[in-house]
């Protein structure tokens, strides 16, 4: 007999022709180590939160999109911010030119935040904000607005991404060096534990690691290692792992290899539970890996863009079969531009069809006991532990990032993946096979550069109307506290209530901490 060609998944794990039973299923859903899900009844009790990531142009325009999405059945908002907001520059800063409102909404002050959520009660909606180096400022805007609305902060729910380590490793929207950045993050943990108990203080992100070109194994290994670094930083500050551990959440990617992705999600839950137990957690809820999923942006193709609807459907199934708590589905046109309203609606309907028509949520962990899925879960876990052990030997994530280990590993995987596409070892439909001559009739969604002038005018008016003596004192208080150990969050909230801008607060800390190069 001729030797059969070997097949490998995207993480390099061999896919055998046949799987025999290798494990006896004893673990129940909702029980440590949560391989089968964090709730005993999973989606029979409550469906995942259906989010649509949205934010563009001005706060006024984004507010219209949020109201539209809420009217179409989303159960949680997810805010995208423009690049100047992400790296701490006001819209009128010289480095903001050409970027204001382009990949997200421009937020310069609490005034913009008020417009962004006009007509939306923060006590009744869960909001996820994809923001990292300026996450503490955006959280302060959100809290200040909630207080203005008369909301009970004990009921305000949501998430800030707040994951700076993956910025150094994979994405780049950092401001300050690692140590002061970690200090800001643990200040957020500490303040929220006392004042904002339903808020997820960090969304430890594998999404951007995967977007940068990692494999599924690298995605969870690097993400869980980063999570361990945040937990250790909080423990060093004297915080209780059984308290802050309950408010940690994760953010993963969903790609096209259905079974590899499902195994990745199951393995990640099991690994985090073991990791947290070793770090001292005794409360089950502090050991649960709860995660949001976004379908894979880097899997979307500009060629034959409507094929992306099928890709997003497969990725949606992977996330749901893998047990996600929250999900965003990408628009089919996002390889060309920001999603149009039509594309956003189709993306949301994809989730709703899986939820209400497919039968997928009707039973807990429907692929449990599959010889293939159980074996693959074990193999993904084993390969991920090998990487984590290497990182631990280097002194942990911060040290591994400083030495360039994660960056090099991601770059190597990205190169290998692209090489396979160009050699046609890996088929991408419509790109290197089943191509067709096409004329693009997919409408693009473009942001006008005049947005910057609008934002700058609003900012100038704000600075003329506010009490600038209060602004000066607020910024001085932040500067003084940054050099000591006082928690920064109350001071930043006071500053935004006194109408300090995002750029002014970020620059105050730049003067103390410097910038990471």
């Amino acid at each position: 007999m001729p030797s059969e060609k070997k097949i490998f998944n995207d993480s390099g794990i061999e896919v055998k022709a046949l799987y025999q039973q290798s494990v006896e299923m004893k673990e129940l859903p909702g029980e440590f180590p949560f391989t089968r899900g964090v709730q005993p009844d999973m989606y029979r009790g409550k469906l995942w939160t259906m989010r649509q990531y949205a934010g563009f142009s001005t706060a006024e325009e984004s507010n219209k999109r949020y109201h539209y999405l809420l009217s179409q059945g989303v159960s949680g908002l997810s805010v995208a911010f423009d690049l100047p907001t992400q790296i701490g520059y006001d819209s009128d800063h010289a480095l903001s030119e050409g970027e204001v409102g382009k990949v997200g909404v421009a937020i310069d002050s609490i005034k913009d935040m008020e417009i962004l959520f006009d007509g939306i009660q923060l006590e009744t909606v869960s909001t996820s904000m994809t923001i990292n180096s300026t996450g503490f400022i955006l959280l302060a805007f959100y809290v200040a607005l909630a207080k203005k609305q008369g909301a009970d902060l004990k009921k305000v729910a949501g998430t800030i991404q707040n994951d700076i380590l993956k910025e150094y490793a994979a994405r780049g929207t950092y401001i300050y060096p690692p140590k002061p950045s970690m200090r800001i993050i643990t200040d957020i943990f500490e303040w929220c534990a006392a004042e904002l108990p339903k808020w997820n203080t960090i969304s430890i992100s594998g999404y951007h690691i995967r977007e940068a070109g990692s494999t599924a194994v690298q995605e969870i290994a690097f993400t869980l290692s980063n999570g361990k670094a945040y937990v250790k930083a909080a423990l060093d500050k004297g915080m209780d792992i059984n308290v802050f551990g309950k408010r940690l959440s994760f953010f993963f990617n969903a790609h096209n290899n259905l079974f590899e992705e499902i195994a990745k999600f199951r393995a990640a839950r099991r690994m985090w539970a073991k990791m947290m137990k070793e770090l001292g957690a005794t409360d089950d809820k502090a050991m649960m890996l709860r995660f949001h999923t976004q379908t894979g942006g880097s899997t979307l193709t500009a060629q034959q863009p409507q094929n992306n609807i099928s890709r997003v459907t497969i990725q949606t199934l992977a996330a749901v079969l893998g047990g996600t708590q929250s999900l965003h589905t990408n628009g089919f046109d996002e390889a060309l531009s920001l999603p149009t309203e039509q594309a956003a609606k189709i993306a949301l309907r994809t989730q709703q069809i899986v939820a209400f028509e497919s039968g997928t949520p009707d039973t807990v962990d429907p692929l449990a006991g599959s010889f293939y899925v159980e074996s693959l879960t074990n193999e993904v876990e084993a390969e991920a532990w090998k990487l984590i052990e290497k990182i631990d030997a280097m002194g942990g994530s911060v040290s591994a990032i400083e030495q360039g280990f994660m960056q090099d590993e991601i770059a190597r995987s990205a190169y290998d993946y692209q090489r396979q596409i160009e050699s046609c070892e890996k088929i991408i439909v419509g790109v290197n096979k089943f191509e067709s001559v096409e004329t693009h009739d997919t409408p693009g969604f473009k942001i006008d550069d005049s947005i910057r002038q609008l934002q700058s005018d609003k900012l100038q008016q704000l600075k003329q109307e506010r009490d600038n003596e209060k602004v000066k004192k607020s910024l001085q208080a932040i500067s003084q506290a940054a050099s000591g150990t006082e928690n920064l969050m109350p001071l930043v909230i006071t500053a935004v209530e006194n109408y300090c801008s995002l750029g002014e607060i970020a620059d105050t800390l730049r003067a103390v901490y410097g910038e990471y190069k």
Side-chain angles (χ1 to χ4, degrees):
M1 269 181 76
S3 61
E4 187 180 316
K5 180 187 174 185
K6 289 188 174 183
I7 295 174
F8 298 88
N9 67 23
D10 292 339
S11 290
I13 295 169
E14 185 180 353
V15 181
K16 299 172 189 173
L18 177 68
Y19 285 82
Q20 305 282 19
Q21 187 169 6
S22 59
V23 290
E24 185 184 344
M25 293 299 297
K26 292 180 180 177
E27 181 193 325
L28 293 173
E31 291 184 358
F32 180 89
F34 313 109
T35 314
R36 303 191 61 194
V38 294
Q39 300 294 339
D41 55 356
M42 284 303 288
Y43 306 131
R44 287 173 72 101
K46 181 186 178 185
L47 285 173
W48 63 92
T49 302
M50 296 182 195
R51 298 188 188 277
Q52 284 306 111
Y53 187 45
F56 55 89
S57 184
T58 60
E60 290 89 344
E61 290 302 313
S62 293
N63 176 262
K64 290 176 189 173
R65 178 66 66 91
Y66 295 157
H67 280 285
Y68 170 75
L69 290 170
L70 288 167
S71 76
Q72 294 300 308
V74 301
S75 45
L77 296 174
S78 186
V79 185
F81 298 97
D82 71 358
L83 282 174
T85 303
Q86 291 182 48
I87 52 178
Y89 294 125
D90 287 333
S91 296
D92 59 359
H93 193 284
L95 292 176
S96 298
E97 187 171 356
E99 293 294 345
V100 176
K102 290 290 177 72
V103 298
V105 62
I107 300 293
D108 293 319
S109 73
I110 191 175
K111 290 277 192 185
D112 288 327
M113 206 65 156
E114 289 170 2
I115 296 165
L116 186 67
F117 289 101
D118 184 38
I120 300 169
Q121 291 300 307
L122 302 191
E123 196 178 292
T124 61
V125 67
S126 165
T127 303
S128 172
M129 294 190 280
T130 303
I131 195 76
N132 297 283
S133 56
T134 55
F136 66 107
I137 305 173
L138 271 300
L139 178 60
F141 285 150
Y142 197 85
V143 168
L145 176 57
K147 287 165 70 176
K148 271 194 164 189
Q149 289 185 352
D152 179 354
L153 293 187
K154 298 287 190 274
K155 295 178 182 176
V156 172
T159 305
I160 43 171
Q161 192 163 99
N162 197 30
D163 174 7
I164 204 65
L165 292 178
K166 67 93 177 49
E167 295 294 327
Y168 303 123
R171 189 161 174 266
T173 64
Y174 44 71
I175 305 175
Y176 316 112
K179 285 183 180 175
S181 293
M182 294 292 276
R183 178 260 173 98
I184 292 169
I185 287 168
T186 53
D187 278 2
I188 293 167
F189 286 2
E190 187 175 58
W191 184 83
C192 287
E195 305 294 337
L196 207 66
K198 290 183 74 175
W199 194 267
N200 296 323
T201 51
I202 194 167
S203 176
I204 305 158
S205 176
Y207 185 85
H208 302 98
I209 290 170
R210 192 68 177 280
E211 288 293 285
S214 82
T215 65
V217 165
Q218 288 169 336
E219 179 187 354
I220 61 169
F222 296 162
T223 305
L224 299 185
S225 277
N226 290 346
K228 184 194 278 192
Y230 294 124
V231 170
K232 285 187 170 181
L235 290 171
D236 289 345
K237 199 165 185 173
M239 296 178 66
D240 185 346
I241 192 169
N242 287 320
V243 176
F244 74 80
K246 295 175 185 176
R247 302 320 307 172
L248 305 177
S249 66
F250 288 80
F251 174 25
F252 290 122
N253 212 311
H255 272 219
N256 292 328
N257 192 315
L258 182 72
F259 295 107
E260 182 180 20
E261 294 302 296
I262 294 164
K264 176 190 77 178
F265 297 133
R266 298 173 91 247
R269 266 195 301 272
R270 189 157 71 199
M271 293 171 72
W272 184 246
K274 293 174 183 175
M275 201 178 273
M276 287 295 275
K277 192 169 188 176
E278 286 175 7
L279 288 165
T282 54
D283 188 318
D284 268 4
K285 288 188 176 178
M287 295 183 247
M288 289 178 180
L289 183 145
R290 296 166 299 116
F291 65 98
H292 170 72
T293 308
Q294 182 174 340
T295 57
S298 62
T299 69
L300 303 178
T301 64
Q303 301 92 328
Q304 302 176 24
Q306 290 186 334
N307 292 348
N308 295 326
I309 298 171
S310 299
R311 293 185 177 103
V312 169
T313 304
I314 292 167
Q315 294 162 11
T316 300
L317 280 168
V320 172
L321 289 166
T324 195
Q325 277 61 68
S326 169
L327 179 59
H328 162 78
T329 34
N330 289 329
F332 71 87
D333 56 0
E334 288 189 56
L336 301 169
S337 69
L338 288 170
T340 57
E341 198 168 276
Q342 179 203 24
K345 184 176 182 179
I346 290 170
L348 175 61
R349 293 290 183 256
T350 301
Q351 291 200 54
Q352 291 167 335
I353 288 166
V354 170
F356 298 106
E357 296 184 28
S358 74
T360 308
D362 292 351
T363 188
V364 182
D365 194 17
L367 293 180
S370 155
F371 300 159
Y372 179 34
V373 170
E374 295 296 347
S375 178
L376 189 55
T377 301
N378 293 339
E379 288 181 273
V380 167
E381 179 182 9
E383 292 300 312
W385 281 125
K386 287 178 188 175
L387 279 172
I388 290 171
E389 286 163 10
K390 284 185 182 179
I391 292 167
D392 287 345
M394 293 177 188
S397 273
V398 175
S399 180
I401 289 165
E402 288 172 344
Q403 293 176 50
F405 173 73
M406 288 189 193
Q407 298 93 311
D408 289 347
E409 289 289 306
I410 294 167
R412 190 176 299 112
S413 294
Y415 173 80
D416 287 343
Y417 188 81
Q418 186 60 34
R419 180 188 53 75
Q420 288 172 28
I421 292 172
E422 291 180 10
S423 67
C424 290
E425 291 174 60
K426 174 166 282 298
I427 300 302
I428 307 295
V429 173
V431 175
N432 61 2
K433 195 162 187 175
F434 313 114
E435 299 143 280
S436 60
V437 177
E438 51 187 294
T439 54
H440 279 300
D441 57 358
T442 303
F445 189 91
K446 301 296 180 188
I447 302 299
D448 196 282
D449 281 326
S450 63
I451 297 302
R452 182 174 184 240
Q453 190 59 52
L454 287 171
Q455 283 297 114
S456 299
D457 291 346
K458 281 198 292 183
L459 201 53
Q460 188 176 5
Q461 184 179 353
L462 173 76
K463 289 179 178 180
Q464 289 171 351
E465 294 174 351
R466 69 189 184 181
D467 185 333
N468 282 297
E469 190 57 37
K470 284 184 176 179
V471 168
K472 185 179 175 183
K473 287 180 180 176
S474 297
L475 296 175
Q476 283 175 342
I478 291 171
S479 180
Q480 289 168 3
S483 302
T485 58
E486 183 181 354
N487 193 300
L488 291 171
M489 278 306 299
L491 300 173
V492 175
I493 292 167
T494 298
V496 303
E497 289 175 331
N498 288 330
Y499 299 100
C500 294
S501 74
L502 173 131
E504 288 170 331
I505 296 167
D507 282 347
T508 298
L509 292 180
R510 275 188 181 93
V512 179
Y513 296 142
E515 290 191 74
Y516 179 74
K517 302 293 183 186

